[in-house]
Every structure is written in C-alpha cells, then in structure tokens.
Amino acid sequence: MDQPHLIVIFGATGDLARRKLLPGILHLLQSGLVADFRMIGVSLDEHDDTSFREFAQEACREFGKDDFDTDRWAEFASKLHYVNAKDGAETLATRATELEDALGGAPGRLHYLSVPPKAALDVVSTLDEARLVERARIIMEKPFGTDLESAKKLNASLHEVFDEEQIFRIDHFLGKEAALNILAFRFANGLFEPIWNRTFIDHVQIDVPETLSIEGRAGFYEGIGAFRDMVVTHLFQILGFMAMEPPTTLDSESISEEKTKVFRSILPLDPANVVRGQYQGYRDEDGVSAESETETFVALEAHVDNWRWAGVPFYLRTGKNMAEGARIISIAFREPPKSMFPGGSGVGLSGPDHLTFDLADSSRLSLSFYGKRPGPGMKLDKLSMQFALQDTERAGDVLEAYERLIYDAMRGDRTLFTNAEGIERLWEISQPLLDDPPPVRPYAPGTWGPNSVHQLIAPRAWRLPFERTWRRPNPSGE
C-alpha cells in the first residue's frame, strides 16, 4: 500500500495496544505492507515522545511476532509520537498537522479507538474538534451497543460525525487466516460448494469455549455477560461468513452484503432454545453481586430461514472457565439414508462425517469420514484428512488477526468488518432472549457448562471435546 498514513491510537498505553497494536504495526512496517506513516499515541498516562517510545519498545520486545531487530526498531521509533488526552483536541490537531506536513500531500488517517465503550463517543467528538474526520477511517472495538435501542443510538451518534463507510467495527475472530480460508474452501472448490446446503448438511456447531475466568474484569462483564460479549459480536459474525451465499465478486462490498442477508434471515431467538450458565465462584469475584444473574456461559440454537439453510440448526456455545480453549466451526453431514454394513462393523459408531475449521492461530481444517480397517472382514474406523498452515512453506506469511484488520482498514477493505445494519439486525433477533432470559444454571469450573446443554442439542452431540486429536507438526516445524 503506497499511501502514507497518520495513525492515531486512543488508549495507546492500554493492554490491547501493548500486546497487539504496537507490535502489529511494527510487523506491518517490517513486512513492507505499509508505506510511510506517523503515529500519535493518545492516553491519560504521563508520557512524552521519548517515554512513549520506550513503552512501545518494551511492548514490541515482549509481544512482537519476530525476533526484535534493533536496527529496524530505530526506524519505527522515529515515527512514534505522544499526546496526552488531557491536553485536548487543539493540541492533537496541532501535532497531527505537523506530522501530516512531514508526510506531505494528503495522507490517509486511521484512528483506532482502543478505549472503554463509554469513552468511544468522547473520542469521536475529540476527532471532530481536531478536524481529523476528513480522509479518515476509524476502527472501533466491541461492544456495539447492548441491545437494539442502544445500538441504534450509538450508530446515530457516530453517523453525525463519520459516514458509515468510514467506520470499521472490528472482530478479531474474522481477522484470522482460517476465516478467509472458509471463503476459499467453499467457493474455489467444486467438491464442496454443491453440498453446502440443507440437503447434505445436518447441523452446524460454532464453539468458542475459554479457559479464562473474568480475571478482574467484573466492572465490564457484570451486567454484560457471555451473550452480549461474545455471541452478537463474534459467533454470529462467524455464522454469517459460514452461511453466506456466493458473492457476485470477491470485493468487500459484495461480501458484506451477503453476510447482511444472512443476518436478515436469522429467525428471532427462542429463549426455550437457550441455555445460560454461571461458573461456580463467579459471585465471589470482586465487583460481582452476590445475587448476580449474569451468564458466563451461553449455548443456543439458531435458524437461518432461507432456501439454503431452512431446517438446519446452528448450535452456538461459548463460556468462561471451561475445560478447554478452542475456536471451532464443525459442520456435520447427513448420514447415508440406508446402511448395508453388518452389525458390529462400526459404521455410525462415531457419529456423522464432519468438516471442522479451527479458527485458532494455527489455522487447521479436518475432514472426518469412515474407512475400512486393514485386515479381514468389514470393520470401519473413523479417519480424518487434515491440513494445517504449519505444513506449508508459506506459514511465515500469516498475518496476526489485528495486523490483518489494521491493514485492511488502511486500504478501505471492509470484507472482515460488519456494518450498522448487520449489528442492528443481530440485536433485533436477540431481543426475545434479552426480554425473557432463562435462569442461569451453575457449572463447575473446568467443565463444558451446565448439564442441560446436552438436552439442547439432543439427539445430536457436541463436537467438543474431540475424541481424536489434531495432528501435530514435527519438531522441526516443517
């Protein structure tokens, strides 16, 4: 990308900036993917340019993707500058003008709002006062409202300053290599697209369990819960990618439109098909009410009511303090209508054939199927074919999720971002659940959630935990 940019990070000394944003932008520079830029870090901490560069250096040493390159660091550090948020919009405007003059021409502007939700509109107002709206794109972190009314109010306030085309609502799940691999897998292979429908697919599972507890985030999490925190902002977005129709072209506008069509087709959630849970000990966390009904776990059944998916259930599950951490899409194919195999052959013993996408950083996919066990007789075992990026010579080319999304936003590519209409529609279908949530049920930390989660999916079974393991790369990494 040849256009120079002014990058402004609000919350530049926060945890996200330290772990992801600063190391990510350094890696984009070292990879040659971004042209010249200047960065302004903005926060309430007492820094000047020198101390902010020291902070960024430590962050990149600790969390950077590559071995720290002292020579390349000097180039990056010279582009970093700092403005204290308490100094106001005019100070920000003056510094921005100086840096844009140094870049020359009319550089693009990228503003990253790594701030708490309640501060987002204040930052938007600051950017307006600093005259940094023109030629700008802003990246916003979740949540995008907490219900339909708040989402509409937030979008209306944003649109008073920025056009919708300037707003990039980030979902780091979709920034992973595996998310784009879904598009490649579906639309580039004649083997799979013809069977990607209700005739051949029995059900779909999207499973994002986490082993972490709320870890001192009760101020944010209490009253928000797993559904608002994860399902609307992440799992439904993955569902949209997986269930969308083929776009007319592979440009971001066409892909965004097809995702939005999926959201329009999702039926309103039925609270009877939702399980809410709370891990034992949650109410003992600092800042949590002793009578809290906030869910730390949620599983639900959703339906996309269109020609392709009518009657196919989509099961979504996520939670804190669970047995394993994973990010899995598992597609279960319908079983053959009749089996000619004798009893005891093993056919059907391990459930239906599955196509599984692992959205973790390792980016793996697996196709499981029955095959004959070597030897006499007709005994069948469940086998699998697996692909992992580590198995290819291009594994080193993978961009971390935040790197990809920052790069795409700078280019104006909205493929992996959602829009205001999509967000508002998701809150609309969620309203029945928000109005009448089922009671939270306790579950032990380190488990797979409340027992009633199995009744939700019966007679089917949850794909996680796997009865088999992913193939591991050899010690050389090749």
Side-chain angles (χ1 to χ4, degrees):
M1 184 180 59
D2 296 329
Q3 184 186 23
H5 268 76
L6 173 70
I7 302 172
V8 184
I9 298 180
F10 292 86
T13 57
D15 192 59
L16 178 62
R18 187 170 67 95
R19 290 175 175 270
K20 297 293 185 181
L21 306 185
L22 292 168
I25 295 171
L26 172 61
H27 184 243
L28 289 175
L29 176 68
Q30 293 178 336
S31 301
L33 292 174
V34 298
D36 198 10
F37 69 90
R38 298 294 185 274
M39 181 194 299
I40 301 176
V42 182
S43 81
L44 292 170
D45 290 334
E46 296 297 332
H47 279 295
D48 56 19
D49 288 357
T50 300
S51 61
F52 178 61
R53 289 166 182 169
E54 292 171 352
F55 169 86
Q57 184 176 25
E58 288 305 309
C60 292
R61 280 187 186 276
E62 185 173 358
F63 299 106
K65 183 175 181 178
D66 303 315
D67 291 338
F68 192 82
D69 187 330
T70 304
D71 294 334
R72 300 299 300 274
W73 168 254
E75 177 189 2
F76 182 65
S78 68
K79 303 177 186 297
L80 304 183
H81 305 269
Y82 188 79
V83 169
N84 194 306
K86 291 179 288 190
D87 292 338
E90 281 305 316
T91 300
L92 176 61
T94 299
R95 179 59 69 92
T97 299
E98 294 171 355
L99 297 177
E100 290 189 342
D101 288 344
L103 287 170
R109 294 165 173 165
L110 182 71
H111 308 310
Y112 200 116
L113 278 59
S114 178
V115 296
K118 61 184 179 181
L121 291 180
D122 290 338
V123 171
V124 169
S125 178
T126 297
L127 289 169
D128 193 18
E129 293 176 32
R131 302 173 296 282
L132 291 174
V133 174
E134 185 182 357
R135 309 191 312 274
R137 300 182 179 108
I138 64 169
I139 298 178
M140 297 192 65
E141 288 278 344
K142 67 169 185 173
F144 312 120
T146 56
D147 54 21
L148 180 58
E149 181 181 357
S150 62
K152 286 184 173 180
K153 184 177 179 181
L154 173 62
N155 287 330
S157 298
L158 290 172
H159 292 157
E160 290 177 1
V161 178
F162 289 96
D163 294 334
E164 177 62 23
E165 291 71 24
Q166 295 178 280
I167 303 169
F168 289 72
R169 298 169 185 82
I170 196 167
D171 175 9
H172 69 275
F173 278 44
L174 292 186
K176 296 182 178 298
E177 194 75 28
L180 287 174
N181 227 341
I182 296 172
L183 294 184
F185 197 83
R186 281 189 61 186
F187 301 133
N189 294 294
L191 178 62
F192 289 100
E193 178 53 28
I195 62 172
W196 208 268
N197 55 60
R198 63 186 301 275
T199 304
F200 299 96
I201 291 177
D202 179 78
H203 70 278
V204 177
Q205 296 180 30
I206 301 174
D207 218 342
V208 186
E210 298 180 287
T211 57
L212 300 176
S213 67
I214 61 168
E215 294 190 316
R217 296 171 63 233
F220 164 75
Y221 202 85
E222 177 68 356
I224 296 293
F227 180 79
R228 288 180 171 93
D229 183 41
M230 290 291 292
V231 176
V232 176
T233 52
H234 292 319
L235 273 67
F236 274 147
Q237 300 298 328
I238 296 171
L239 187 158
F241 236 67
M242 187 268 158
M244 61 184 276
E245 294 295 318
T248 52
T249 61
L250 210 59
D251 61 73
S252 60
E253 183 176 347
S254 298
I255 292 174
S256 294
E257 173 60 19
E258 295 304 333
K259 276 178 57 187
T260 303
K261 286 180 182 178
V262 174
F263 300 151
R264 292 178 196 144
S265 301
I266 299 177
L267 294 175
L269 298 181
D270 182 352
N273 292 328
V274 179
V275 175
R276 297 168 68 236
Q278 186 183 90
Y279 66 78
Q280 294 166 345
Y282 172 76
R283 294 178 183 179
D284 298 328
E285 302 269 6
D286 290 339
V288 174
S289 166
E291 300 178 352
S292 174
E293 290 294 304
T294 298
E295 79 279 357
T296 62
F297 169 96
V298 64
L300 60 89
E301 179 181 323
H303 286 268
V304 180
D305 191 27
N306 62 16
W307 191 273
R308 182 183 291 263
W309 296 111
V312 176
F314 288 75
Y315 296 104
L316 281 56
R317 178 174 63 165
T318 186
K320 300 286 189 184
N321 227 334
M322 297 184 69
E324 294 178 21
R327 297 163 185 175
I328 295 292
I329 305 173
S330 190
I331 300 157
F333 293 99
R334 295 192 184 278
E335 298 190 58
K338 181 176 174 59
S339 174
M340 74 287 291
F341 294 93
S345 65
V347 67
L349 189 62
S350 300
D353 299 339
H354 282 83
L355 176 64
T356 303
F357 291 88
D358 183 354
L359 298 185
D361 292 334
S362 52
S363 187
R364 299 173 292 197
L365 63 88
S366 170
L367 178 64
S368 69
F369 52 91
Y370 287 98
K372 182 184 177 302
R373 182 186 302 174
M378 183 59 75
K379 291 284 188 179
L380 303 182
D381 288 324
K382 200 74 171 192
L383 309 174
S384 70
M385 292 189 297
Q386 298 185 15
F387 163 80
L389 278 176
Q390 300 102 309
D391 296 338
T392 75
E393 61 185 17
R394 306 304 297 269
D397 295 343
V398 175
L399 291 178
E400 197 273 337
Y402 280 96
E403 296 170 4
R404 178 187 302 282
L405 293 168
I406 291 170
Y407 177 63
D408 284 354
M410 293 174 77
R411 296 187 300 137
D413 186 337
R414 303 176 62 84
T415 299
L416 301 176
F417 299 86
T418 193
N419 56 28
E421 179 186 352
I423 285 293
E424 290 177 13
R425 172 58 184 167
L426 292 175
W427 283 120
E428 182 180 4
I429 65 171
S430 302
Q431 203 61 48
L433 173 61
L434 301 180
D435 291 340
D436 185 25
V440 292
R441 301 176 184 275
Y443 64 96
T447 64
W448 289 101
N451 289 333
S452 54
V453 74
H454 301 292
Q455 299 167 12
L456 173 70
I457 200 172
R460 305 174 178 94
W462 290 102
R463 183 70 167 150
L464 284 175
F466 284 143
E467 294 180 359
R468 57 173 177 78
T469 58
W470 289 100
R471 183 181 69 242
R472 298 182 181 276
N474 64 39
S476 68
E478 298 177 356

